Amino acid sequence: MASRLKLYTPEPEETTSSTEPDVRVRLGDLLPVMAMAQRMNFIWLKDFLDDEVVVSTDLYEVMQAFRSSRPTSA
């Protein structure tokens, strides 16, 4: 008699929903690294493009104002 295949269904992973980020990093420390990685076209940076980052409300408002008022390249 042929043996039957059993399907393995893993247990659902417990997700810890935390409102606190895992690691806090100063923007002044983060930006030079990200800028260099983008300038040098490091592939690993693309792995994180869909990740979300948390910014303060005032920085978000400044970013929105900058986005809507920055000059377009000619």
Side-chain angles (χ1 to χ4, degrees):
M1 178 177 264
S3 55
R4 301 180 86 184
L5 294 177
K6 293 183 181 179
L7 294 178
Y8 171 73
T9 53
E11 295 293 323
E13 292 182 20
E14 291 183 29
T15 57
T16 56
S17 58
S18 170
T19 57
E20 289 295 313
D22 294 333
V23 178
R24 292 182 179 271
V25 179
R26 288 182 51 246
L27 191 59
D29 296 333
L30 180 65
L31 286 180
V33 175
M34 295 295 108
M36 182 179 66
Q38 184 177 21
R39 213 174 26 253
M40 298 179 77
N41 200 24
F42 282 111
I43 292 295
W44 62 261
L45 187 58
K46 293 179 182 179
D47 293 341
F48 299 96
L49 289 179
D50 290 330
D51 286 11
E52 292 183 355
V53 295
V54 178
V55 297
S56 61
T57 304
D58 56 340
L59 177 57
Y60 179 76
E61 290 170 356
V62 169
M63 289 169 40
Q64 292 296 344
F66 177 74
R67 180 182 293 163
S68 65
S69 67
R70 71 178 178 186
T72 59
S73 59

